[in-house]
Amino acid sequence: MSMVTYQGGIFKQKLFITAPLYYTYAKTMKRIRVMSAIALSNRRRIGIVSVSLAAVLVIGIVTYIGTRQQEASRAALPTNPLPFDMPSAATLDASPRKVFAHYFTPYPISLDNQDPDSDYYARNFLTKDGEKGIHASYGGFLRERPLPREVISSSSWALEDMKTEVKRASQAGLDGFTVDILGTGTGNQNWERFKLLLKAAPLVDPNFKLVLMPDGNGSGAEKGYESLATNIASLVNDPVYNKNIYKLSDGRVVVSPFKPETYSATYWKNFITSMGKKGIKVAFVPTFLDYNAQVANYDAFSYGFSNWGNRNPDDNQLDSLSKKITDAHSRGKIWMQPVSLQDNRPRDGIYDEANNTENYRLTWNAATVGGSDKKGAEWVQIPTWNDYSENTQISPGSRIGWSALDLTSYYLAKYKLGSYPTIKRDTIYVSHRNQLHATMPSPLYSKVMKLRSGSSPARNKVEVMAFLTAPGTIKTVVGTKTYSVEAPAGVSTHLFDLSAGTVSATLSRDGSPVATVTSPNKVVTSTTQQNLLYHFVSSGREGEVFNQQPANAPDLVVTNITTSPAAPNTGNATTFSATVKNQGTAVTPVGTILGVSFRVNDSQVSWSDTHTSSLAPGASVTLTANSGPTGSAQWVAVAGTQSISAKVDDINRIVETNDANNTLARSITITDAAVQQPDLVVTNISSNPVNPAPGAATTFSATIKNQGTAATPAGIKHGVSFRINGTPVSWSDTHVASLASGASVTLIANAGPDGNATWTATEGVMTLSAVVDDINRISEANESNNALSQQFTVNTSAAGDVNGDNRVNAIDLSAVLAKDGQSYPPADFNADGIVGAADLAILLSRWTW
């Protein structure tokens, strides 16, 4: 037997708790749950364990693994952990405001897929003796780790971890990650992790966006702009990796380098030019360390601006942050506001005083209402999702738990939707350090963290943040001291002096406890490790270790899988359906999506996500795929024996008594057959007006013909994408009637990427393309003949006139020569983004003196 404790916030193994002992404990706890369920029946309350045989057994076991129990509790996902109902993904996605968290590739969930007691984090990052003692001078590299998980018995464990990261962020309401690119090229560890993340995102959430963020401190940029552009373009142009790379509605890829000032503005202009030559237009949004010193140098070629920001309340008052927002908007740029939780860096020997959650609240407020017009920022970047070396992370971790992410969802909802969500469940969040800020480690090591110059003054406080449905009394115990406050309905914060001992808080009404939470992070007066991280704990998440499945809950299983057609042949567009049964003891929650994921050979091909009615115990429902990763609900059958599976509640929207029985699989054999299929082609393209002038709102039409041997399916959109010089500008997606073999129909654009069905004509020679069935909704005999292109010219009579005097002469020539190689729209006659020889040729062809 051995005992594990915490000292200074890290694993301190007096002997060693073996993996078998932990697994024995887990199995014992499972037996205890069964016994507890029998003894307590439906009277069990989350977070409160009655005195019973189970409790006696727990006390005996906790002696040995109490600390690991605290770690495991943070990985659990209880029923309704948030104090509010999370807005739907569709509602959040509809907001033009975007929220990204900065993803840092050096710290994935696991570095080696080993047991968390002895994995790389435990051996090398959380102890001063790790990595051959290189972290001894500051007491260990990290003060927290990602939530521990058990070993994954699959060679694709790293991809699974990336999927978990995306899932957690997506479910919290984030639009995506700004991904720190810390190196490029095959074999670079961080580059390979970036590629894994690019693979993982579309498997979890096709709408989750990844913003390219080359790191000025070391991203491969030092090898030159051409090398950097080549490596990044290799991913942007690769269909395996480019599905979730963030692009604006006009097709521009967003690139937001961190600390671009490491190189010159000319470097980045050349990078953008190089990307353009590779067929990639860039929306450039630099993230400066020093915005004021750099912004003018980047103004001419940037889509927007951001800065990395500070991490303390004194530096993040609204007036100060509003100045940058106002300046960016005055330049016609979007602003990406940094929203930060805290910052303390053992290796660098510095920290900021975040004042518990105050810094987070202030920076969210600036993003929401900052600027002279009080309209706030267009985008938010949270630095960071997972940089544990700087302790800025909001990702669920061993010390901050889920609390930072829960609070993110609350403020994110206000930022995106304009109002805070309604408080529906009483919840208490407690934050505090586990030592006073002046506590020094003993024995003292050579580098300790000191307050950063300009930071808010250091303080020692416990903060209780209350989300209440009605007024109540909050009793807070800090060591030997007890405090009582009357808290109003809604959200309120309360501060108490930090002192040694255990920290807990209880909400009561009419003398009865409503919510309670005890911090697992005891405040110490002496320590072997300096730790200035604010620890968090929530009454909605904490205190539940293995008891996450309630005794009275739904239990969803798949009882049957069918296909349409029933016996598909090679090439058939196939739709899957699954019969789902609730074999549990409680109804599923009304309004919550009862989803099913359909997979072929373990690759997701479609899903059903429209059923939100409650499913009673014993009842069944058949759910049919309505969408998929490509936007289509159908899978095109491939010859051979295929393994198909259906998994109900695949992204854990519903708490069940058993999450391990949600999947049913079976095999089907697809054979070749003489299949009659439609074959769609575009036979004509036209525009209205026929000869548009510059600036004219132009509507495109296309005549499509079914030259195949079978009619197209009724009820499926016969879509046409209209493109100018390869960029989608509008589409038609209203025709759903079947098109007989040999029949034609003319389709007119009715919408587009910017919400408009028209294209605003620009001067020059344009290539207009129409692509029928552009997103492969309809299975065809030939998928390679769907496009037709033609050229037309928008009046170029004004081309060459830079100064607008209706003449093309030496004055205009001088202006073109002065802007050679730069982005200057008045002299960019061919609209390729850069003034050059082609523009000079156009000017000379229009010469009038």
Side-chain angles (χ1 to χ4, degrees), residues 212-216 255-260 268 284-288 298:
L212 307 175
M213 180 167 269
D215 193 313
V255 178
S256 178
F258 166 77
K259 197 183 177 184
W268 292 108
F284 196 67
V285 186
T287 298
F288 302 113
Y298 291 78

Side-chain angles (χ1 to χ4, degrees), residues 125-314:
F125 283 169
L126 294 168
T127 171
K128 66 180 180 65
D129 300 320
E131 295 192 316
K132 298 182 180 180
I134 64 173
H135 307 300
S137 63
Y138 39 90
F141 188 40
L142 305 182
R143 299 299 183 263
E144 181 181 41
R145 62 173 296 155
L147 282 181
R149 63 155 175 78
E150 299 306 324
V151 175
I152 296 175
S153 58
S154 168
S155 60
S156 62
W157 61 268
L159 177 63
E160 292 303 313
D161 280 346
M162 288 299 185
K163 288 163 65 177
T164 296
E165 301 266 43
V166 173
K167 177 179 175 181
R168 288 172 175 171
S170 176
Q171 290 183 339
L174 295 174
D175 292 286
F177 290 143
T178 50
V179 186
D180 197 307
I181 300 176
L182 274 169
T184 54
T186 302
N188 181 285
Q189 190 175 53
N190 290 306
W191 181 251
E192 296 303 325
R193 286 180 186 145
F194 175 36
K195 290 164 67 177
L196 271 181
L197 185 57
L198 290 170
K199 280 186 176 181
L203 298 176
V204 177
D205 181 356
N207 294 320
F208 192 84
K209 303 306 180 186
L210 301 174
V211 177
L212 307 175
M213 180 167 269
D215 193 313
N217 287 331
S219 62
E222 68 279 1
K223 298 176 182 178
Y225 64 83
E226 184 61 41
S227 173
L228 181 64
T230 297
N231 280 295
I232 290 180
S234 70
L235 298 184
V236 177
N237 288 327
D238 190 331
V240 174
Y241 298 108
N242 66 9
K243 294 181 179 67
N244 285 47
I245 290 176
Y246 187 40
K247 304 178 185 68
L248 301 182
S249 60
D250 61 8
R252 283 183 290 170
V253 173
V254 177
V255 178
S256 178
F258 166 77
K259 197 183 177 184
E261 56 262 49
T262 301
Y263 306 95
S264 66
T266 300
Y267 174 99
W268 292 108
K269 284 192 290 185
N270 289 336
F271 165 82
I272 294 170
T273 300
S274 180
M275 292 285 281
K277 292 177 180 178
K278 302 177 194 314
I280 302 167
K281 293 184 178 181
V282 170
F284 196 67
V285 186
T287 298
F288 302 113
L289 287 188
D290 189 343
Y291 173 81
N292 293 330
Q294 297 295 331
V295 60
N297 299 327
Y298 291 78
D299 196 357
F301 59 94
S302 294
Y303 173 74
F305 295 121
S306 183
N307 72 314
W308 192 239
N310 296 313
R311 310 285 183 264
N312 67 86
D314 281 8

Side-chain angles (χ1 to χ4, degrees), residues 800-803 805-815 843 846-849:
D801 182 13
V802 180
N803 65 349
D805 63 358
N806 295 318
R807 296 193 302 167
V808 180
N809 54 27
I811 297 175
D812 304 297
L813 175 62
S814 176
L843 182 146
R846 306 301 303 168
W847 194 268
T848 60
W849 293 101

Side-chain angles (χ1 to χ4, degrees), residues 78-85 402-403 406-407 410 422-430 463-470 474 487-494 505-509 514-517 537-542:
T79 308
N80 294 327
L82 297 175
F84 54 92
D85 290 341
W402 290 83
S403 297
D406 289 353
L407 295 176
Y410 182 71
T422 302
I423 307 303
K424 294 190 174 182
R425 288 167 288 277
D426 295 300
T427 310
I428 306 169
Y429 294 93
V430 174
E463 180 190 87
V464 175
M465 192 173 189
F467 289 70
L468 305 188
T469 60
I474 297 177
V491 181
S492 60
T493 57
H494 310 275
T506 301
L507 166 69
S508 298
R509 291 195 186 96
V514 176
T516 186
V517 61
V537 64
S538 161
S539 65
R541 297 269 190 187
E542 310 301 331

